[in-house]
Amino acid sequence: MQTSVRSQWYVDWFSFGITCCIAAIGLLFVFSATQTSEHHFSIFFKKQAVGLSIGIIVYWLCAFINYRTLQRWGYFAYFAVIALLFFTLIKGSMVLGGQRWINLFFFKFQPSELAKPLFPAFVSYYLYTHYETRFARWKKFIPILITLAISSLLILKQPDLGTALIIAISGLTLLWLAGLSKQFFSYGALLCIIATPLLWHMLKPYQKNRIAVFFGYGTTHKERYQIEQATIAIGSGGLTGKGFSNGTQNTLQFLPESRTDFIFAVICEEWGFAGALSLLLLYLLLFLRTIFLIPAIAEPHAQLLAIGLLLHIILSALINIGMVLGLLPIVGIPLPLLSYGL
């Protein structure tokens, strides 16, 4: 009986159900994007199924642990994440031109992905433990800003511009909500505008190329190939799509990164506008439901933790869908709960 009461207290069944629904759709389309005539159930599908099962177990474990305990664990774990980011630059595995992975033989993982959920825990626990301090209000944010800058720069060096931007934007938004001075953001925005030419020269050639492609540069068979194939897949889906596993851009492997960054294009091709809109509505319901619940949390630092955990998911979803639709430059950001590996 006690377990039932705790379950009802810690679990929002509505958002849990929507999350499982989106994840199940992701599993379906990882299957569609990776099946072959030789291997009906690919290794990617099997890994995604195992990862989804582990994710549900972790969800339930977290639901039965006091949030302050999770904050404290996350705070100290974030120092380990920074150490892993340093290690990645020295001994990380190289995949598709990026040194972002740590290989533990039986599986690989990206430390930068751990930074997304753990940084909000770091921020909220630090502010909770430094709530009453002799320092001026703005000075207590300095250690957090330094940690955020180090994390973003280490991820940027991998290079992984997309994840670095997610960490930086969500982190700064969290600090703005926590009360960091508006002058900091005003001066910071002005400095970024002035430093734009320098920031442009700091970008890698392929990153500059992606921005140029967004503004119309490149040929269909070279620079614009990826976005052109995504556009064809989306447009050919029509209203109801070609049917599950019947998308030609997908099954004939014209669409690059179909199981990861461009899985939304696969959904548009096979389920059409109706399927894509249904998926977007599921995301919207999940985000609105979570945003609606946050004000009901009594503790401000717990609210900050909840907002931080939600921010990077919303940003990743918006940026991924925007780039697949051609509304934003292409960056290496997968679609949360849907792409392979998430």
PDB file of all heavy atoms in Angstrom, residues 132-149:
ATOM      1  N   GLU A 132      22.295  31.500   1.276  1.00  0.00           N
ATOM      2  CA  GLU A 132      22.655  32.584   2.178  1.00  0.00           C
ATOM      3  C   GLU A 132      24.178  32.693   2.206  1.00  0.00           C
ATOM      4  O   GLU A 132      24.865  31.801   2.707  1.00  0.00           O
ATOM      5  CB  GLU A 132      22.113  32.312   3.580  1.00  0.00           C
ATOM      6  CG  GLU A 132      20.592  32.344   3.653  1.00  0.00           C
ATOM      7  CD  GLU A 132      20.090  32.148   5.071  1.00  0.00           C
ATOM      8  OE1 GLU A 132      20.941  31.993   5.968  1.00  0.00           O
ATOM      9  OE2 GLU A 132      18.867  32.146   5.265  1.00  0.00           O
ATOM     10  N   THR A 133      24.705  33.741   1.636  1.00  0.00           N
ATOM     11  CA  THR A 133      26.154  33.927   1.536  1.00  0.00           C
ATOM     12  C   THR A 133      26.497  35.390   1.710  1.00  0.00           C
ATOM     13  O   THR A 133      25.669  36.275   1.469  1.00  0.00           O
ATOM     14  CB  THR A 133      26.673  33.424   0.168  1.00  0.00           C
ATOM     15  OG1 THR A 133      28.065  33.679   0.083  1.00  0.00           O
ATOM     16  CG2 THR A 133      25.953  34.103  -0.979  1.00  0.00           C
ATOM     17  N   ARG A 134      27.722  35.652   2.135  1.00  0.00           N
ATOM     18  CA  ARG A 134      28.173  37.029   2.327  1.00  0.00           C
ATOM     19  C   ARG A 134      28.533  37.700   1.004  1.00  0.00           C
ATOM     20  O   ARG A 134      28.702  38.905   0.937  1.00  0.00           O
ATOM     21  CB  ARG A 134      29.390  37.055   3.254  1.00  0.00           C
ATOM     22  CG  ARG A 134      29.080  36.611   4.679  1.00  0.00           C
ATOM     23  CD  ARG A 134      30.332  36.678   5.539  1.00  0.00           C
ATOM     24  NE  ARG A 134      30.047  36.256   6.912  1.00  0.00           N
ATOM     25  CZ  ARG A 134      30.971  36.200   7.869  1.00  0.00           C
ATOM     26  NH1 ARG A 134      32.228  36.545   7.601  1.00  0.00           N
ATOM     27  NH2 ARG A 134      30.637  35.811   9.091  1.00  0.00           N
ATOM     28  N   PHE A 135      28.707  36.903  -0.037  1.00  0.00           N
ATOM     29  CA  PHE A 135      29.062  37.464  -1.336  1.00  0.00           C
ATOM     30  C   PHE A 135      27.901  38.289  -1.900  1.00  0.00           C
ATOM     31  O   PHE A 135      26.738  38.044  -1.589  1.00  0.00           O
ATOM     32  CB  PHE A 135      29.416  36.361  -2.333  1.00  0.00           C
ATOM     33  CG  PHE A 135      30.628  35.569  -1.932  1.00  0.00           C
ATOM     34  CD1 PHE A 135      30.542  34.206  -1.762  1.00  0.00           C
ATOM     35  CD2 PHE A 135      31.852  36.194  -1.735  1.00  0.00           C
ATOM     36  CE1 PHE A 135      31.657  33.466  -1.385  1.00  0.00           C
ATOM     37  CE2 PHE A 135      32.963  35.466  -1.364  1.00  0.00           C
ATOM     38  CZ  PHE A 135      32.872  34.105  -1.185  1.00  0.00           C
ATOM     39  N   ALA A 136      28.245  39.242  -2.754  1.00  0.00           N
ATOM     40  CA  ALA A 136      27.209  39.942  -3.508  1.00  0.00           C
ATOM     41  C   ALA A 136      26.466  38.937  -4.379  1.00  0.00           C
ATOM     42  O   ALA A 136      27.018  37.910  -4.767  1.00  0.00           O
ATOM     43  CB  ALA A 136      27.830  41.041  -4.363  1.00  0.00           C
ATOM     44  N   ARG A 137      25.213  39.243  -4.679  1.00  0.00           N
ATOM     45  CA  ARG A 137      24.354  38.288  -5.390  1.00  0.00           C
ATOM     46  C   ARG A 137      24.980  37.799  -6.687  1.00  0.00           C
ATOM     47  O   ARG A 137      24.951  36.612  -6.985  1.00  0.00           O
ATOM     48  CB  ARG A 137      22.997  38.939  -5.672  1.00  0.00           C
ATOM     49  CG  ARG A 137      22.015  38.009  -6.367  1.00  0.00           C
ATOM     50  CD  ARG A 137      20.655  38.646  -6.505  1.00  0.00           C
ATOM     51  NE  ARG A 137      19.742  37.776  -7.211  1.00  0.00           N
ATOM     52  CZ  ARG A 137      19.068  36.778  -6.658  1.00  0.00           C
ATOM     53  NH1 ARG A 137      19.217  36.515  -5.387  1.00  0.00           N
ATOM     54  NH2 ARG A 137      18.239  36.038  -7.373  1.00  0.00           N
ATOM     55  N   TRP A 138      25.587  38.717  -7.463  1.00  0.00           N
ATOM     56  CA  TRP A 138      26.122  38.299  -8.762  1.00  0.00           C
ATOM     57  C   TRP A 138      27.371  37.443  -8.628  1.00  0.00           C
ATOM     58  O   TRP A 138      27.679  36.631  -9.493  1.00  0.00           O
ATOM     59  CB  TRP A 138      26.422  39.526  -9.624  1.00  0.00           C
ATOM     60  CG  TRP A 138      27.507  40.415  -9.079  1.00  0.00           C
ATOM     61  CD1 TRP A 138      27.353  41.454  -8.222  1.00  0.00           C
ATOM     62  CD2 TRP A 138      28.907  40.335  -9.366  1.00  0.00           C
ATOM     63  NE1 TRP A 138      28.554  42.033  -7.929  1.00  0.00           N
ATOM     64  CE2 TRP A 138      29.535  41.366  -8.629  1.00  0.00           C
ATOM     65  CE3 TRP A 138      29.684  39.490 -10.163  1.00  0.00           C
ATOM     66  CZ2 TRP A 138      30.899  41.582  -8.666  1.00  0.00           C
ATOM     67  CZ3 TRP A 138      31.052  39.695 -10.199  1.00  0.00           C
ATOM     68  CH2 TRP A 138      31.654  40.722  -9.460  1.00  0.00           C
ATOM     69  N   LYS A 139      28.108  37.598  -7.496  1.00  0.00           N
ATOM     70  CA  LYS A 139      29.361  36.855  -7.340  1.00  0.00           C
ATOM     71  C   LYS A 139      29.142  35.363  -7.159  1.00  0.00           C
ATOM     72  O   LYS A 139      29.999  34.559  -7.527  1.00  0.00           O
ATOM     73  CB  LYS A 139      30.152  37.407  -6.157  1.00  0.00           C
ATOM     74  CG  LYS A 139      30.789  38.762  -6.413  1.00  0.00           C
ATOM     75  CD  LYS A 139      31.656  39.192  -5.246  1.00  0.00           C
ATOM     76  CE  LYS A 139      32.342  40.521  -5.543  1.00  0.00           C
ATOM     77  NZ  LYS A 139      33.183  40.977  -4.408  1.00  0.00           N
ATOM     78  N   LYS A 140      27.996  34.980  -6.611  1.00  0.00           N
ATOM     79  CA  LYS A 140      27.768  33.549  -6.398  1.00  0.00           C
ATOM     80  C   LYS A 140      27.544  32.798  -7.707  1.00  0.00           C
ATOM     81  O   LYS A 140      27.604  31.565  -7.735  1.00  0.00           O
ATOM     82  CB  LYS A 140      26.601  33.332  -5.441  1.00  0.00           C
ATOM     83  CG  LYS A 140      25.230  33.660  -6.006  1.00  0.00           C
ATOM     84  CD  LYS A 140      24.163  33.366  -4.964  1.00  0.00           C
ATOM     85  CE  LYS A 140      22.770  33.664  -5.498  1.00  0.00           C
ATOM     86  NZ  LYS A 140      21.720  33.412  -4.493  1.00  0.00           N
ATOM     87  N   PHE A 141      27.286  33.542  -8.800  1.00  0.00           N
ATOM     88  CA  PHE A 141      27.104  32.894 -10.099  1.00  0.00           C
ATOM     89  C   PHE A 141      28.439  32.638 -10.816  1.00  0.00           C
ATOM     90  O   PHE A 141      28.458  31.915 -11.808  1.00  0.00           O
ATOM     91  CB  PHE A 141      26.213  33.758 -10.996  1.00  0.00           C
ATOM     92  CG  PHE A 141      24.772  33.800 -10.578  1.00  0.00           C
ATOM     93  CD1 PHE A 141      24.249  34.903  -9.915  1.00  0.00           C
ATOM     94  CD2 PHE A 141      23.940  32.724 -10.829  1.00  0.00           C
ATOM     95  CE1 PHE A 141      22.925  34.950  -9.531  1.00  0.00           C
ATOM     96  CE2 PHE A 141      22.606  32.750 -10.447  1.00  0.00           C
ATOM     97  CZ  PHE A 141      22.096  33.875  -9.784  1.00  0.00           C
ATOM     98  N   ILE A 142      29.516  33.244 -10.333  1.00  0.00           N
ATOM     99  CA  ILE A 142      30.808  33.148 -11.027  1.00  0.00           C
ATOM    100  C   ILE A 142      31.282  31.696 -11.168  1.00  0.00           C
ATOM    101  O   ILE A 142      31.665  31.276 -12.266  1.00  0.00           O
ATOM    102  CB  ILE A 142      31.871  34.027 -10.337  1.00  0.00           C
ATOM    103  CG1 ILE A 142      31.515  35.501 -10.523  1.00  0.00           C
ATOM    104  CG2 ILE A 142      33.259  33.740 -10.914  1.00  0.00           C
ATOM    105  CD1 ILE A 142      32.462  36.455  -9.824  1.00  0.00           C
ATOM    106  N   PRO A 143      31.280  30.874 -10.097  1.00  0.00           N
ATOM    107  CA  PRO A 143      31.707  29.470 -10.269  1.00  0.00           C
ATOM    108  C   PRO A 143      30.857  28.710 -11.283  1.00  0.00           C
ATOM    109  O   PRO A 143      31.378  27.872 -12.035  1.00  0.00           O
ATOM    110  CB  PRO A 143      31.548  28.882  -8.858  1.00  0.00           C
ATOM    111  CG  PRO A 143      31.649  30.055  -7.949  1.00  0.00           C
ATOM    112  CD  PRO A 143      30.991  31.179  -8.685  1.00  0.00           C
ATOM    113  N   ILE A 144      29.551  29.014 -11.315  1.00  0.00           N
ATOM    114  CA  ILE A 144      28.676  28.340 -12.272  1.00  0.00           C
ATOM    115  C   ILE A 144      29.028  28.772 -13.695  1.00  0.00           C
ATOM    116  O   ILE A 144      29.086  27.936 -14.613  1.00  0.00           O
ATOM    117  CB  ILE A 144      27.199  28.639 -11.968  1.00  0.00           C
ATOM    118  CG1 ILE A 144      26.837  28.222 -10.549  1.00  0.00           C
ATOM    119  CG2 ILE A 144      26.292  27.931 -12.973  1.00  0.00           C
ATOM    120  CD1 ILE A 144      25.425  28.575 -10.143  1.00  0.00           C
ATOM    121  N   LEU A 145      29.250  30.068 -13.906  1.00  0.00           N
ATOM    122  CA  LEU A 145      29.599  30.573 -15.230  1.00  0.00           C
ATOM    123  C   LEU A 145      30.920  29.992 -15.712  1.00  0.00           C
ATOM    124  O   LEU A 145      31.063  29.639 -16.889  1.00  0.00           O
ATOM    125  CB  LEU A 145      29.665  32.105 -15.203  1.00  0.00           C
ATOM    126  CG  LEU A 145      28.315  32.832 -15.099  1.00  0.00           C
ATOM    127  CD1 LEU A 145      28.539  34.310 -14.799  1.00  0.00           C
ATOM    128  CD2 LEU A 145      27.512  32.661 -16.377  1.00  0.00           C
ATOM    129  N   ILE A 146      31.887  29.877 -14.813  1.00  0.00           N
ATOM    130  CA  ILE A 146      33.180  29.287 -15.178  1.00  0.00           C
ATOM    131  C   ILE A 146      32.995  27.821 -15.570  1.00  0.00           C
ATOM    132  O   ILE A 146      33.542  27.354 -16.583  1.00  0.00           O
ATOM    133  CB  ILE A 146      34.189  29.427 -14.022  1.00  0.00           C
ATOM    134  CG1 ILE A 146      34.546  30.901 -13.798  1.00  0.00           C
ATOM    135  CG2 ILE A 146      35.446  28.607 -14.299  1.00  0.00           C
ATOM    136  CD1 ILE A 146      35.395  31.142 -12.571  1.00  0.00           C
ATOM    137  N   THR A 147      32.211  27.087 -14.786  1.00  0.00           N
ATOM    138  CA  THR A 147      31.950  25.672 -15.089  1.00  0.00           C
ATOM    139  C   THR A 147      31.232  25.519 -16.428  1.00  0.00           C
ATOM    140  O   THR A 147      31.560  24.632 -17.228  1.00  0.00           O
ATOM    141  CB  THR A 147      31.101  25.043 -13.969  1.00  0.00           C
ATOM    142  OG1 THR A 147      31.759  25.216 -12.714  1.00  0.00           O
ATOM    143  CG2 THR A 147      30.881  23.556 -14.224  1.00  0.00           C
ATOM    144  N   LEU A 148      30.254  26.393 -16.676  1.00  0.00           N
ATOM    145  CA  LEU A 148      29.516  26.358 -17.936  1.00  0.00           C
ATOM    146  C   LEU A 148      30.436  26.655 -19.121  1.00  0.00           C
ATOM    147  O   LEU A 148      30.359  25.983 -20.163  1.00  0.00           O
ATOM    148  CB  LEU A 148      28.370  27.368 -17.899  1.00  0.00           C
ATOM    149  CG  LEU A 148      27.509  27.494 -19.160  1.00  0.00           C
ATOM    150  CD1 LEU A 148      26.841  26.167 -19.495  1.00  0.00           C
ATOM    151  CD2 LEU A 148      26.453  28.587 -18.992  1.00  0.00           C
ATOM    152  N   ALA A 149      31.318  27.637 -18.969  1.00  0.00           N
ATOM    153  CA  ALA A 149      32.249  27.993 -20.043  1.00  0.00           C
ATOM    154  C   ALA A 149      33.210  26.847 -20.333  1.00  0.00           C
ATOM    155  O   ALA A 149      33.459  26.510 -21.503  1.00  0.00           O
ATOM    156  CB  ALA A 149      33.024  29.252 -19.660  1.00  0.00           C
TER     157      ALA A 149
END
